[in-house]
Amino acid sequence: MFIIKHTVKTNATPTQIWKVWQDVDNWKAWDEQIELSLLDGPFQTGTTGRTKFKSSPSFKTLLIQVEPEKLVVQETYLSFAKVISYQSMKQIGDKTEVTFEVEIRGLLSFFFACMSGRFIKKKIPLEMEEMLKRALTVQA
């Protein structure tokens, strides 16, 4: 198992952040590695979809836990491994604390961690920064 976690505080409200998170078709606007992201239904627990990263095939995804304005947990299925992405937020005073966590599990988790772990670790803070910039422009 391999885990990467990053937390930031922002002036964006949970409502603003949530609007960005649930706009799955536009995740590519704040994550430059995503070429395509889509869901087969509503943004809720149990909905499936696809995610395609640049220079990779598309992968099946599943929203395994969705709690509005609090948490999104998504599984992406790789060959003999899965990536579990946690996006959570909580209000602390006048700030919102946002955490992105990526966990790689499965038979080939060590392989995938070695192949892309350092890249993911570098990318998460940049991805969060872009997502939060976008959230600050959303009407709450």
Side-chain angles (χ1 to χ4, degrees):
M1 186 176 353
F2 177 77
I3 298 173
I4 297 169
K5 186 175 183 177
H6 187 72
T7 300
V8 296
K9 289 186 180 170
T10 180
N11 289 324
T13 67
T15 300
Q16 290 174 301
I17 295 165
W18 189 253
K19 286 180 180 180
V20 173
W21 285 0
Q22 67 182 357
D23 185 10
V24 176
D25 293 343
N26 287 307
W27 284 355
K28 62 186 172 218
W30 49 272
D31 184 339
E32 68 179 27
Q33 292 304 309
I34 292 179
E35 195 170 288
L36 170 75
S37 53
L38 57 89
L39 292 178
D40 300 324
F43 193 73
Q44 66 186 30
T45 301
T47 299
T48 59
R50 310 257 342 137
T51 302
K52 182 179 184 326
F53 298 96
K54 293 179 179 174
S55 303
S56 77
S58 75
F59 298 103
K60 180 181 175 188
T61 61
L62 171 66
L63 296 177
I64 59 172
Q65 187 176 359
V66 176
E67 296 178 27
E69 297 189 13
K70 291 182 184 172
L71 175 71
V72 177
V73 183
Q74 175 184 347
E75 286 184 348
T76 302
Y77 302 97
L78 310 174
S79 299
F80 299 103
K82 64 182 167 182
V83 177
I84 304 170
S85 302
Y86 303 85
Q87 296 175 178
S88 62
M89 66 176 125
K90 62 183 172 185
Q91 192 76 42
I92 300 176
D94 63 343
K95 300 281 186 185
T96 305
E97 184 178 89
V98 183
T99 300
F100 278 21
E101 183 175 331
V102 176
E103 181 179 334
I104 304 173
R105 294 184 189 171
L107 186 62
L108 293 180
S109 62
F110 180 76
F111 169 77
F112 286 110
C114 289
M115 293 296 293
S116 57
R118 277 184 251 133
F119 173 74
I120 293 170
K121 189 171 184 157
K122 281 187 200 176
K123 149 182 149 61
I124 287 177
L126 301 173
E127 175 183 315
M128 289 179 74
E129 182 180 329
E130 288 303 313
M131 182 276 301
L132 292 171
K133 281 182 193 174
R134 190 169 188 85
L136 286 166
T137 68
V138 171
Q139 289 291 341

